[in-house]
Amino acid sequence: MITGTAIAAAAVFALAGCSSDSGGRGGDAGGDAAAGFEEGSVIGVALPDKTSENWTIAGEIFTDSLTEAGYEPNVQYAGSTSPVPDQQSQISTMIQDGAKVIVIGANDAKQLGAQVAEAREQGVTIIAYDRLISDTDNVDYYVAFNNFKVGQDQGQALLDGLAERYPDQTSWNIELIAGAATDPNATVFFDGAMDILQPKIDDGTLNVVSGQTTFEQVQTDKWDPANAQSRMDTVLQGFYQGDTNINGVLSPNDTLARAALQSVTDAKKGPIVVTGQDSEAASIPLIMSGEQYMTIYKDTRKLIAQTVDMIKALAAGETPETNADEDNGSTEVPTFYLDPVVVTAANAVEVYADNDKLAPLTK
Ligand code: BGC
């Protein structure tokens, strides 16, 4: 049976080779990217280790969507033991196997320079997925949810939640948690949040009792919840003795939010207003009960659909649609940003209504 998708894909492939000047970075990617490529071409997808649920579900969605679009997907995850060399060798193998496009969710954004340079040399187009690859000219496109906006939304939600939960106070005790320094998103989330929180720290509305306010002081190695929890345990023991209570925690994602909740419960403090991100299944019941004040919904299906649209455009010899340029420290990378959605108990039912996995968890 010929499906509508198959017809659309065939039409796209028919265009391949017809366009001589695609413009954009795809066109000057060393090889003959402007000429497009054929149905059945290998598309590599190099994902990081599974530090959160969004990565865990991305692999299967990529495999299904790329297959449905008529390509041959080669989807690989870095292992958790030595993710950087894993990812480097996976990308090299994808290049050798003739991948036309390689989609990369970087483990360490600064350690893929040699691999993407080789890709450029071989005419392979590189799309950075969710995490931008830093300090290299050899990244053609970037597709992500707007990470700075994610951070700002988290900062604002923390302020809103504190005023809601502790209405009798005019100042609140908080602590800050950030993600892994190797992930460029972690600094962007933190900078976005501090854009909102710093003025409130400066005017005394927020009191970071530990005094730990720099990214270096609050980052979480490997995004590992055990690391965040042990730092929080130490902070609570050291700075929250006696009557000193903690009212809130800025957490960059759901995995670390649950670690913070555990730490505060163990220390018999709180209850805290805590932020999150990713809409992980394990956090939705906590959102509904209010234990975790907020999360962010970055629908992985949408991000992958946007990435596959980019690949289809490249196959047709066209320039993919972008709506921003993002500086990676070396060049301005044409970027497509999607909008993140803030979720609290107040709107969770509505936001997750079309998600078969999450909607039942809101009942
Ligand atoms: C992603 C987040 C995720 C984190 C840890 C980040 O790069 O954007 O959604 O929580 O990695 O896996």
Side-chain angles (χ1 to χ4, degrees):
M1 191 181 86
I2 299 177
T3 62
T5 316
I7 293 168
V12 165
F13 289 119
L15 286 169
C18 298
S19 166
S20 57
D21 178 19
S22 73
R25 303 179 58 78
D28 46 57
D32 202 5
F37 47 84
E38 295 161 1
E39 184 162 7
S41 292
V42 175
I43 306 295
V45 181
L47 297 171
D49 64 324
K50 300 173 181 174
T51 40
S52 49
E53 198 171 81
N54 55 324
W55 296 115
T56 308
I57 63 180
E60 202 179 318
I61 303 175
F62 263 119
T63 303
D64 292 350
S65 319
L66 288 168
T67 305
E68 194 185 327
Y71 305 104
E72 191 185 320
N74 177 0
V75 179
Q76 306 282 337
Y77 280 99
S80 56
T81 319
S82 44
V84 173
D86 275 3
Q87 194 162 54
Q88 290 170 335
S89 76
Q90 286 163 349
I91 294 168
S92 297
T93 306
M94 288 169 187
I95 299 169
Q96 279 158 25
D97 290 350
K100 298 293 182 192
V101 178
I102 303 181
V103 176
I104 302 175
N107 238 103
D108 185 331
K110 290 184 189 293
Q111 298 211 51
L112 296 175
Q115 288 69 34
V116 296
E118 173 66 11
R120 169 66 56 91
E121 190 104 320
Q122 301 298 327
V124 182
T125 303
I126 296 290
I127 301 178
Y129 169 85
D130 188 83
R131 298 175 175 176
L132 190 51
I133 300 167
S134 323
D135 302 334
T136 169
D137 285 350
N138 301 316
V139 184
D140 297 289
Y141 298 99
Y142 177 42
V143 55
F145 284 89
N146 188 328
N147 297 312
F148 193 75
K149 175 88 173 22
V150 167
Q152 288 179 314
D153 288 345
Q154 291 170 329
Q156 189 56 51
L158 181 60
L159 289 176
D160 296 346
L162 288 167
E164 218 174 88
R165 297 280 166 81
Y166 288 98
D168 298 338
Q169 293 180 209
T170 50
S171 71
W172 297 275
N173 291 342
I174 65 161
E175 293 298 329
L176 309 171
I177 298 176
T182 49
D183 174 359
N185 287 356
T187 39
V188 180
F189 298 146
F190 188 69
D191 289 348
M194 290 307 262
D195 183 49
I196 306 293
L197 300 179
Q198 190 66 55
K200 300 293 178 185
I201 295 173
D202 293 344
D203 74 10
T205 308
L206 297 175
N207 181 21
V208 183
V209 178
S210 69
Q212 298 176 9
T213 55
T214 65
F215 179 84
E216 289 67 30
Q217 288 172 315
V218 304
Q219 61 98 16
T220 305
D221 195 29
K222 300 189 170 76
W223 282 99
D224 185 340
N227 293 335
Q229 195 171 330
S230 91
R231 185 181 144 255
M232 280 299 294
D233 289 348
T234 309
V235 162
L236 291 171
Q237 264 163 29
F239 299 94
Y240 290 83
Q241 292 297 329
D243 287 345
T244 310
N245 198 16
I246 178 165
N247 307 124
V249 172
L250 173 79
S251 161
N253 78 358
D254 289 350
T255 320
L256 304 190
R258 295 194 299 275
L261 283 167
Q262 189 59 53
S263 180
V264 171
T265 304
D266 291 350
K268 300 191 170 51
K269 294 286 178 181
I272 52 164
V273 172
V274 63
T275 59
Q277 167 177 205
D278 294 334
S279 295
E280 292 197 346
S283 275
I284 306 310
L286 305 177
I287 297 286
M288 300 314 290
S289 69
E291 249 178 288
Q292 181 179 326
Y293 180 71
M294 69 83 79
T295 186
I296 301 274
Y297 189 34
K298 304 191 302 184
D299 190 339
T300 302
R301 300 169 304 178
K302 282 196 183 149
L303 192 58
I304 291 177
Q306 192 62 46
T307 312
V308 173
D309 279 353
M310 276 191 173
I311 295 168
K312 286 179 180 170
L314 291 164
E318 293 165 357
T319 303
E321 186 189 349
T322 53
N323 57 15
D325 283 310
E326 197 53 70
D327 185 354
N328 76 341
S330 176
T331 187
E332 296 282 322
V333 182
T335 297
F336 195 101
Y337 274 135
L338 285 83
D339 282 331
V341 179
V342 175
V343 189
T344 65
N347 67 347
V349 172
E350 186 193 327
V351 173
Y352 301 135
D354 77 332
N355 186 316
D356 294 347
K357 191 168 144 215
L358 300 182
L361 301 172
T362 62
K363 303 287 182 265

